Amino acid sequence: MEQWYYFLRSPLDDLDTSIQELVYRSFYQFVYRDIYFIVRDHALTEDIIQDAFMKAITKGPEMRSDVNIPAWIKQLTRNTALDYVRKLKRNRQITEESFVNNYEAAINEVSAASEARDRNELLYQAMDELPADYRVSLFLFYIEGKSYREICQELNVKESVLTQRLARARKKLLKHFLQKWTDDNG
């Protein structure tokens, strides 16, 4: 278990500045990939991480148990990211283009060493082409392992809407993936 998790339990002002920096850098590295996967924007990801960190250091000392600190951190940052997405959508400040960034720029060093790696790269590229609602729903269900009920509560949608959204997302993802797979291997 990482030590920095436990520093979130103490008031940050009581810690040495070098430990404060270590805690923030560790927090940043721990959650960056998950948040970037949701919003696909580096600057927005950094804003969300800062906001989530402030929430974590405020609520951390109130925690009663050390048992699930990593899960608590992930949940806190993911909820913060989803709140940002909802807020920005509500304000009509997000365009689809801001969500659909080039997958290659995010990964930088993907090698084509094995077929599994190629398949994963194509799968992520296909996911990037999906609308944001589909991507978030697939992420919460398949990556985070959330139940339909939990996802419905987080996204504030009915179960019938989520069921239809996931079905359409899987169908579209399969179509995009197969097109990419046959283009690269054909």
Side-chain angles (χ1 to χ4, degrees):
M1 186 62 50
E2 302 266 348
Q3 277 186 329
W4 69 268
Y5 296 146
Y6 300 106
F7 286 122
L8 290 175
R9 301 273 326 267
S10 17
L12 199 65
D13 294 339
D14 295 347
L15 300 175
D16 181 57
T17 56
S18 62
I19 292 180
Q20 290 177 7
E21 289 177 27
L22 169 75
V23 171
Y24 182 76
R25 275 188 269 120
S26 300
F27 184 91
Y28 181 96
Q29 292 171 351
F30 184 65
V31 299
Y32 180 86
R33 189 184 61 171
D34 294 338
I35 303 308
Y36 186 83
F37 184 83
I38 293 172
V39 298
R40 296 289 184 202
D41 181 277
H42 176 71
L44 184 58
T45 299
E46 288 187 335
D47 290 345
I48 292 168
I49 290 172
Q50 280 186 335
D51 191 25
F53 183 73
M54 294 305 291
K55 290 178 183 179
I57 62 172
T58 303
K59 304 237 189 239
E62 300 171 8
M63 289 180 61
R64 296 180 206 160
S65 169
D66 290 342
V67 176
N68 284 325
I69 293 176
W72 176 76
I73 292 168
K74 291 277 189 171
Q75 183 70 41
L76 175 79
T77 55
R78 189 175 54 252
N79 287 345
T80 303
L82 292 173
D83 289 344
Y84 265 75
V85 169
R86 281 188 213 108
K87 180 181 173 184
L88 291 172
K89 273 188 163 186
R90 192 171 39 243
N91 294 336
R92 305 274 189 231
Q93 293 176 351
I94 290 183
T95 63
E96 188 61 28
E97 292 172 8
S98 69
F99 274 118
V100 182
N101 287 334
N102 189 348
Y103 176 75
E104 294 168 10
I107 299 302
N108 291 337
E109 296 182 355
V110 175
S111 71
S114 68
E115 184 175 311
R117 204 172 228 168
D118 290 343
R119 183 192 66 228
N120 287 342
E121 181 180 344
L122 293 175
L123 180 61
Y124 284 117
Q125 286 176 1
M127 287 214 34
D128 277 347
E129 295 174 3
L130 296 177
D133 292 346
Y134 288 179
R135 250 194 344 264
V136 169
S137 299
L138 288 170
F139 177 79
L140 292 173
F141 186 72
Y142 289 105
I143 307 298
E144 293 293 324
K146 298 244 179 208
S147 69
Y148 274 39
R149 179 176 287 142
E150 292 170 321
I151 297 170
C152 289
Q153 288 173 348
E154 278 190 41
L155 299 179
N156 200 20
V157 296
K158 293 182 180 180
E159 193 167 327
S160 60
V161 171
L162 178 65
T163 302
Q164 187 176 39
R165 184 179 292 168
L166 281 170
R168 288 178 178 168
R170 285 188 289 262
K171 186 175 181 179
K172 223 173 204 185
L173 179 62
L174 178 63
K175 179 183 172 189
H176 289 303
F177 174 75
L178 289 176
Q179 183 179 9
K180 289 180 175 308
W181 185 258
T182 54
D183 287 350
D184 280 11
N185 294 323

